[in-house]
Amino acid sequence: MRKLLPILIVWGCSNSPPPPAMPDGVEEEVPQATFVVGTRTAFEGPLTKTFEDGSQLEITQWTVVLSAVEIHLCETASVWELLVPNAWAHVSNSTTRLGTPSAEDLTMGTGGARIVGEIAPPLGTYCRAYAIYTPADDDVLNFGRVSEADLLGKTAVIEAQWTPAGQPTQSLTWAWAGTRAVAIELEPTTMQTPNDHEQLLVDKRIDARILDGLTREHMDDDPAAVLMAAFFDRVDLYRTAKR
């Protein structure tokens, strides 16, 4: 009588080699939707104004500090408005916020886009952004002509040539150390897949009309506050098409 020998069958075996292991300390890259964030300033100078009494002003340097750019989902945008006024000092990074501070001289313009960094937000539809201006700290990226030491603790430094009627020309420097979060409406921007990418530029057009609201009386009071209010009215956002 023949004996039946047991047969062992192993499922799932393969002669294919296992996938190579990632080297220690190296993580596999996973696609993420991103917003590339930067600034753009179009300058049409000079920034001059002649007042009714014949006094003349020329702005020769105007450095501002952009501390952060933050984007918000459509359903959270209105709630965030309640939090903005007290929210800003030094602004850190997050998935929806680029907290890399940068300083630029508005009278130099950027000659195109200047990229500061990028954020990788959760997928969703975004309807609003905030451009956040706060005083500079010691890690600001300085693209202007004012030294880091002179910029420290200030949101803006403005230099001017001022010629009061019938008097010699004076060189003046004004500083502004306030905070401001400028809300900018976005055309609804949907990040649907990890391969979606957008570019957001904080956009400004600077010309002599920015001085229109400045009066002769302001020159004896606080011209920097008036000039910065006019500047914030000109802050906008430029968005490229999805790629």
Side-chain angles (χ1 to χ4, degrees), residues 196-236:
D196 287 343
H197 304 283
E198 297 273 353
Q199 185 180 79
L200 298 177
L201 301 177
V202 179
D203 199 25
K204 296 88 59 188
R205 183 169 295 278
I206 306 299
D207 54 40
R209 289 172 294 180
I210 200 170
L211 306 180
D212 286 351
L214 193 66
T215 67
R216 180 63 181 82
E217 289 71 25
H218 290 140
M219 294 302 300
D220 298 323
D221 186 15
D222 187 9
V226 177
L227 292 171
M228 289 303 293
F231 164 72
F232 292 134
D233 285 342
R234 287 170 173 252
V235 174
D236 203 349

Side-chain angles (χ1 to χ4, degrees), residues 99-146:
T100 302
S102 62
E104 64 171 321
D105 182 352
L106 301 178
T107 66
M108 295 173 62
T110 55
R114 176 181 287 133
I115 302 304
V116 179
E118 67 177 38
I119 52 179
L123 300 182
T125 300
Y126 293 85
C127 285
R128 181 167 298 176
Y130 288 93
I132 303 159
Y133 294 85
T134 68
D137 54 20
D138 56 8
D139 64 353
V140 65
L141 296 177
N142 189 3
F143 300 108
R145 292 178 287 169
V146 177

Side-chain angles (χ1 to χ4, degrees), residues 54-123:
S55 298
Q56 294 182 323
L57 174 71
E58 180 179 5
I59 304 296
T60 57
Q61 186 282 136
W62 188 343
T63 294
V64 296
V65 179
L66 175 66
S67 296
V69 176
E70 183 157 342
I71 59 171
H72 289 270
L73 292 165
C74 296
E75 58 268 27
T76 62
S78 60
V79 176
W80 183 249
E81 289 182 332
L82 302 177
L83 306 179
V84 166
N86 300 316
W88 313 116
H90 175 82
V91 186
S92 59
N93 287 306
S94 75
T95 58
T96 57
R97 181 196 309 121
L98 179 67
T100 302
S102 62
E104 64 171 321
D105 182 352
L106 301 178
T107 66
M108 295 173 62
T110 55
R114 176 181 287 133
I115 302 304
V116 179
E118 67 177 38
I119 52 179
L123 300 182

